[in-house]
């Protein structure tokens, strides 16, 4: 397994739309494992392939305290949604920025695992928000793009400052 480089907002590659996975082969399994390892190392609760510049519909999430509940979702599709959530979210591509954006409180998702087995998952709360956040990445959308223009300008200024400090 390898730890992959995570793209940082406002990198234009974060806006590419991911293609559905059509072949469940060894490289796909490796991608899923690498995504998980990269997420755990960061550490984060979710990661989409888009964030490591691989534009395929693959996401990994683990919102458990013990970091032992990895879920890999290939070609995820939300088939039911309900309620409204206001859980604050962050993103490994937008370090240090946290805010709330409109999300459903509960979602039912249909997806495939890395072996090509389909399943449905019912999620609520943080897991539901995390899945919606990661699925947005597959569409090329980063959570800060839900915020007002003023807030987005502030986010970009803060990130630019972080980069200067780390340079
Ligand atoms: Ni994110």
């Amino acid at each position: 397994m390898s730890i992959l480089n995570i793209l940082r907002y406002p990198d234009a590659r974060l806006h590419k739309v991911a293609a559905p996975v059509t072949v469940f082969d060894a490289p796909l399994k490796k991608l899923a494992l690498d995504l998980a390892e990269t997420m755990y190392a960061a550490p984060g609760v979710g990661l989409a392939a888009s964030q490591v510049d691989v534009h395929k519909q693959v996401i990994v999430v683990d919102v458990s305290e013990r970091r032992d509940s990895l879920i890999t979702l290939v070609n995820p599709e939300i088939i039911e949604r309900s309620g409204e959530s206001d859980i604050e979210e962050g993103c490994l591509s937008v370090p240090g920025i946290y805010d709330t954006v409109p999300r459903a409180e509960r979602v039912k998702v249909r997806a495939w695992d890395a072996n090509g087995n389909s399943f449905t998952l019912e999620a609520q709360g943080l897991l539901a928000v995390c899945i919606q956040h990661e699925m947005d990445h597959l569409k090329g959308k980063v959570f800060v793009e839900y915020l007002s223009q003023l807030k987005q300008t502030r986010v970009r200024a803060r990130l630019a400052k972080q980069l200067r400090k780390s340079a």
Side-chain angles (χ1 to χ4, degrees):
M1 292 197 290
S2 344
I3 293 178
L4 307 170
N5 184 46
I6 299 174
L7 299 177
R8 287 223 186 177
Y9 181 82
D11 191 307
R13 291 169 290 179
L14 286 168
H15 303 309
K16 289 190 185 177
V17 176
V21 169
T22 52
V23 183
F24 292 80
D25 55 4
L28 176 72
K29 283 176 203 157
K30 179 168 191 316
L31 171 63
L33 291 173
D34 287 347
L35 284 173
E37 192 179 17
T38 305
M39 172 184 76
Y40 287 124
V45 296
L47 189 67
S50 313
Q51 291 176 274
V52 298
D53 201 24
V54 176
H55 303 283
K56 291 181 181 166
Q57 293 181 12
V58 184
I59 66 176
V60 292
V61 295
D62 186 348
V63 300
S64 71
E65 202 93 348
R66 294 172 58 187
R67 317 294 281 148
D68 59 358
S69 304
L70 176 66
I71 305 171
T72 301
L73 300 143
V74 179
N75 301 343
E77 185 191 351
I78 292 177
I79 51 178
E80 280 175 40
R81 63 174 77 227
S82 62
E84 284 172 26
S85 175
D86 57 356
I87 294 175
E88 194 167 69
E89 51 196 272
C91 179
L92 293 174
S93 294
V94 198
I97 307 292
Y98 301 91
D99 216 322
T100 57
V101 304
R103 302 288 188 196
E105 161 66 18
R106 292 164 191 273
V107 291
K108 188 173 178 183
V109 183
R110 180 166 51 217
W112 280 259
D113 66 20
N115 296 311
N117 302 307
S118 74
F119 62 97
T120 59
L121 172 74
E122 289 186 44
Q124 61 174 315
L126 180 58
L127 179 59
V129 167
C130 186
I131 288 171
Q132 292 168 83
H133 174 118
E134 301 311 329
M135 286 182 65
D136 271 353
H137 278 299
L138 301 180
K139 293 176 219 146
K141 184 152 184 169
V142 180
F143 85 107
V144 291
E145 291 165 329
Y146 287 101
L147 304 176
S148 67
Q149 285 304 325
L150 176 63
K151 275 190 173 178
Q152 289 189 46
T153 303
R154 285 184 185 152
V155 165
R156 281 194 290 268
R158 271 186 65 183
L159 292 174
K161 198 171 164 189
Q162 281 177 22
L163 276 183
R164 281 200 302 275
K165 273 189 183 162
S166 65

